[in-house]
Amino acid sequence: MLKTFLIGIKDVRLAFRDRAALTFMLAAPFVLTLGLGLVTGRFSGNSGSGISDIPVAIVNLDDGQLGQALVDAFNSPELADLTEPTFPSDPEAARRLIDEDQAAAAVIIPAGFTQSIIPQASDFESAQPEVVQIEVYTNPERPTSAGIIKAIVDEFISRVEEGRVGGEVSILQMLVSGRITPEQAEDAGNAMSQRLQDEPMTNEAAITLNSSTADGQAVEFDALAYIAPGMALMFLMYTVSYGGRSILAERTQGTLPRLLVSPTSSAQILGGKIFGIFLTGAAQMLILIGASSLIFQLKWGDPLGVVVLVLAAVFGATGWGMFITATARTTAQVANVGSAMMLIFGALGGSFVSLEQMPVFVQAISKITPNAWALNGFTTLGLGGTLADLGTPITALLIMGASLFAVSVYLFGKKDLAQK
Amino acid sequence: MSNILEVKNLVKHYGDFQAVKGVSFNIEEGEIFSLLGPNGAGKTTTISMLSTLYTPTSGAATISGHSVTREPMAVRQVIGVVPQDLALYEDLTARENLIFWGQMYDLSGKALTARVDEVLEQIGLTDKANNRVKTYSGGMKRRVNIGVGLLHKPKLLFMDEPTVGIDPQSRRAILDTVKALNKQGMTLLYTTHYMEEAEELSDRVGIIDHGELIAIGTQKELTHQVGESETLVLHVGENDDSEALALALNGVAGVIKAEATDHEVSVICPEAEDVLAGVVTKANERGIKIRSIDIREPNLEAVFLHLTGRALRD
């Protein structure tokens, strides 16, 4: 056990003395986080932390209560700091603002939106009104901000839909049973729409639905809380492949055969190498988290949750590092596969674009990456969640790591580590 | 003296290739035993099996009574290994390397610190102990490589061609270190393809070629195998055909054997002076200019030539 620990410590020391490795482990994710933070406007606002004043163009072509309710929601005090709505005259003007990068998203409420949700008296006697949908035209240059606007609209629609279904069923039942007349049904619908209109205004704004801490303090969504872990996790994959590579490098440079002729067992040596990769990855993540907290004033959330999630993420990632090392023959193969894995897992895992904006099949594939699970956890923490909310991602990461370790140990057993 | 190492019919196959073919020998406590042979003779494979790195295909070996195959951990406590190639962490300092390797040999605390200081003194690197190994010269790295093998004061030290590719000064320092270790009571198994090193260091020598131990004994016993023969070494010009000259000299009266190497022809004969005139005449007849002639007393080179028909450096 002691030798396993000593081998691990030696590997951490070597990793942190390798300038090239340090560049990838610490400098690159930090610089990319800084760059993406600048691109998303994280550092240009005067609010100190959190995304604010997201420019959104709203065109309301609906002449009913629900269209106005959505407009009022964007004008509400709850969203006053987060969004900065403008009201172009028509949809084309709104889309132009997006195309010219003057707004993050355009919300176009079509004519007849309210009527499609809340039937009028005449609708009960004729065919059902045509279903119309709100259009959210997003700016690909501002994925995070556009994602937030889309989330606000989704939440609004979700609430409206809940009210509509419940209300429609009730009114229809009363109509069928003869307890109300069609005219009374229309009045009831109008009253319900008024409640729907009021509800988003009186409650918390949609985007902050989950954004309060256990003690009830409001938490702002910070774009960096998504970008920073995304970058750190992507370069964590570099670190674990670097660590895996060191096993084969030690074989080539003769230190592994030398270890094998010392009174140290193969299990201690392999355990030490794994421990070294794990320690290096954990150190890298914690340094990046510490540095971004100090320099960017980034709030990562519940400290205990962060530490446990980091350890689980590094465990899962180390499993991948061991797996590619166990399947490779040379250090060059590990380096190449490791670089490819870093980028592919980064893209699949949501380091560049939020997973929610990706196709469903990509979201499904992303489950094989530690990035996706860990990023899910960090986002939960960033929005005010605690360790108790991380059960699923932590369990997934632990299962991933354990499975990959089992396969890797089996493959290493078939390898002749003594041969250079 | 009892045997610290006993090897019986040790064999190692790599697929169809037989790297070591039934090697048997013993090493007594306190002696320096050299395995002398050209590159690819099977020296490193033999040491690798004895140090428990490779599993023998067949045969047996015991070190201090422990089987290398059945009791590898007990064997590893007794032996030290200085591999042919450097096996160090170049981004660590010499001291850090020695501390790490000492820990791997179960040293710790003050005993480890004291032993590291001793070894640094022994290899002459106390002043530069805190410099990273990658900043060292080749000779200094070799010394650290040896130092690692000495940390736990092994009873039997394997040194696999420790002087390959280094400057004469560093080589001299290493040979002196080997002698000093032996004087302190350490037993050494030393492999080399340099005849001079084997002659200078060894109590006994095993000559190995193509995986077979073809001769074993003290230097005197081995040279006796080629009788009292002397070796005449003819240095010829770069453009001269040394092969043709060697062929011609094999027919000269008094010549036991003649072999050509790079611009040299080695002639084994009972008395060099008796064949000298005939050798020079043959060279003149073939238009080959002899630049210089060395007369060598019987040595291990001659033994190897006698046993294999090839020079050691072939």
Side-chain angles (χ1 to χ4, degrees), chain A residues 66-348:
Chain A
L66 291 182
Q68 188 56 44
L70 183 53
V71 171
D72 291 346
F74 274 104
N75 278 325
S76 67
E78 287 83 0
L79 294 182
D81 290 338
L82 185 62
T83 62
E84 189 174 316
T86 55
F87 300 94
S89 55
D90 58 74
E92 282 313 306
R95 290 192 188 97
R96 211 163 34 248
L97 286 175
I98 307 306
D99 295 339
E100 292 169 0
D101 197 27
Q102 292 180 37
V107 179
I108 299 162
I109 308 164
F113 173 63
T114 302
Q115 196 177 349
S116 76
I117 303 290
I118 303 169
Q120 305 299 305
S122 56
D123 296 329
F124 291 104
E125 293 156 8
S126 62
Q128 286 289 310
E130 189 183 348
V131 175
V132 293
Q133 293 180 323
I134 294 176
E135 179 189 353
V136 179
Y137 185 66
T138 58
N139 183 344
E141 302 295 322
R142 305 189 194 194
T144 307
S145 297
I148 290 171
I149 298 300
K150 190 169 176 298
I152 293 172
V153 175
D154 284 346
E155 181 64 21
F156 177 84
I157 290 171
S158 169
R159 291 189 178 201
V160 166
E161 188 64 12
E162 284 172 22
R164 183 188 71 80
V165 172
E168 197 170 290
V169 169
S170 304
I171 292 166
L172 277 173
Q173 280 177 343
M174 285 190 285
L175 263 175
V176 169
S177 63
R179 278 187 263 172
I180 57 172
T181 63
E183 290 72 21
Q184 288 171 318
E186 183 178 354
D187 291 341
N190 285 336
M192 286 179 64
S193 75
Q194 189 59 46
R195 280 206 306 279
L196 286 169
Q197 178 180 341
D198 292 344
E199 192 172 6
M201 306 292 291
T202 52
N203 287 352
E204 292 173 317
I207 192 64
T208 57
L209 190 66
N210 294 317
S211 61
S212 60
T213 59
D215 59 5
Q217 288 184 331
V219 175
E220 285 184 307
F221 180 81
D222 189 338
L224 272 194
Y226 189 87
I227 297 168
M231 289 299 115
L233 289 164
M234 186 169 79
F235 285 92
L236 171 64
M237 298 313 294
Y238 166 82
T239 303
V240 296
S241 68
Y242 171 88
R245 202 162 74 223
S246 80
I247 296 177
L248 300 184
E250 285 219 38
R251 186 172 66 173
T252 310
Q253 73 195 24
T255 43
L256 184 59
R258 189 166 215 167
L259 277 168
L260 289 167
V261 298
S262 74
T264 311
S265 69
S266 302
Q268 285 174 312
I269 295 168
L270 195 58
K273 297 300 295 181
I274 294 172
F275 184 56
I277 299 170
F278 180 82
L279 276 185
T280 309
Q284 174 200 17
M285 290 293 290
L286 293 174
I287 289 171
L288 286 171
I289 288 170
S292 58
S293 299
L294 287 172
I295 298 170
F296 302 144
Q297 281 83 50
L298 177 59
K299 294 182 178 70
W300 287 77
D302 175 29
L304 181 62
V306 169
V307 171
V308 175
L309 182 61
V310 162
L311 296 180
V314 176
F315 184 75
T318 304
W320 275 108
M322 294 306 295
F323 179 72
I324 62 169
T325 306
T327 51
R329 288 183 181 174
T330 64
T331 53
Q333 282 179 352
V334 180
N336 293 336
V337 175
S339 299
M341 185 176 74
M342 178 181 84
L343 293 172
I344 293 169
F345 278 19
L348 279 179

Side-chain angles (χ1 to χ4, degrees), chain A residues 3 17 250 253 258 260, chain B residues 86 89 96 104 106 145:
Chain A
K3 286 185 183 176
R17 284 188 183 175
E250 285 219 38
Q253 73 195 24
R258 189 166 215 167
L260 289 167
Chain B
L86 295 170
Y89 298 104
E96 288 169 340
M104 292 302 106
D106 301 316
N145 204 37

Side-chain angles (χ1 to χ4, degrees), chain B residues 118-301:
Chain B
E118 257 177 56
V119 170
L120 283 168
E121 183 77 30
Q122 202 167 3
I123 60 177
L125 286 172
T126 302
D127 292 345
K128 300 198 171 176
N130 295 322
N131 294 356
R132 291 192 192 178
V133 168
K134 68 181 177 186
T135 64
Y136 287 1
S137 68
M140 290 161 75
K141 288 177 183 175
R142 285 273 172 197
R143 278 143 68 190
V144 182
N145 204 37
I146 292 171
V148 169
L150 306 177
L151 277 164
H152 60 298
K153 296 184 179 173
K155 285 186 184 173
L156 173 61
L157 182 65
F158 296 131
M159 299 185 86
D160 192 9
E161 306 215 42
T163 60
V164 169
I166 59 170
D167 60 278
Q169 195 181 350
S170 296
R171 172 183 286 191
R172 172 46 44 205
I174 288 172
L175 296 181
D176 289 345
T177 303
V178 171
K179 286 185 211 170
L181 291 170
N182 184 241
K183 270 191 180 171
Q184 292 163 17
M186 195 178 284
T187 308
L188 288 105
L189 171 54
Y190 188 97
T191 75
T192 182
H193 63 268
Y194 297 123
M195 175 205 67
E196 303 85 354
E197 289 183 3
E199 284 182 344
E200 179 179 341
L201 296 174
S202 317
D203 297 307
R204 288 189 306 135
V205 177
I207 296 180
I208 188 167
D209 188 42
H210 294 309
E212 289 180 282
L213 199 59
I214 55 178
I216 190 165
T218 62
Q219 191 178 338
K220 195 171 179 181
E221 288 166 350
L222 290 171
T223 52
H224 191 69
Q225 290 187 18
V226 288
E228 297 302 315
S229 305
E230 290 179 338
T231 304
L232 205 59
V233 180
L234 313 175
H235 300 273
V236 299
E238 283 187 10
N239 298 322
D240 291 323
D241 189 349
S242 54
E243 296 277 354
L245 178 59
L247 203 62
L249 291 177
N250 273 316
V252 171
V255 170
I256 297 171
K257 188 181 280 184
E259 288 288 333
T261 56
D262 292 342
H263 319 306
E264 282 183 11
V265 177
S266 298
V267 181
I268 299 173
C269 50
E271 286 291 338
E273 285 180 14
D274 293 349
V275 298
L276 192 55
V279 164
V280 172
T281 305
K282 275 286 180 198
N284 286 339
E285 283 173 9
R286 298 193 163 260
I288 293 174
K289 187 178 177 184
I290 298 173
R291 295 176 180 274
S292 63
I293 298 175
D294 292 334
I295 297 173
R296 291 177 186 165
E297 298 292 314
N299 60 18
L300 294 176
E301 176 82 44

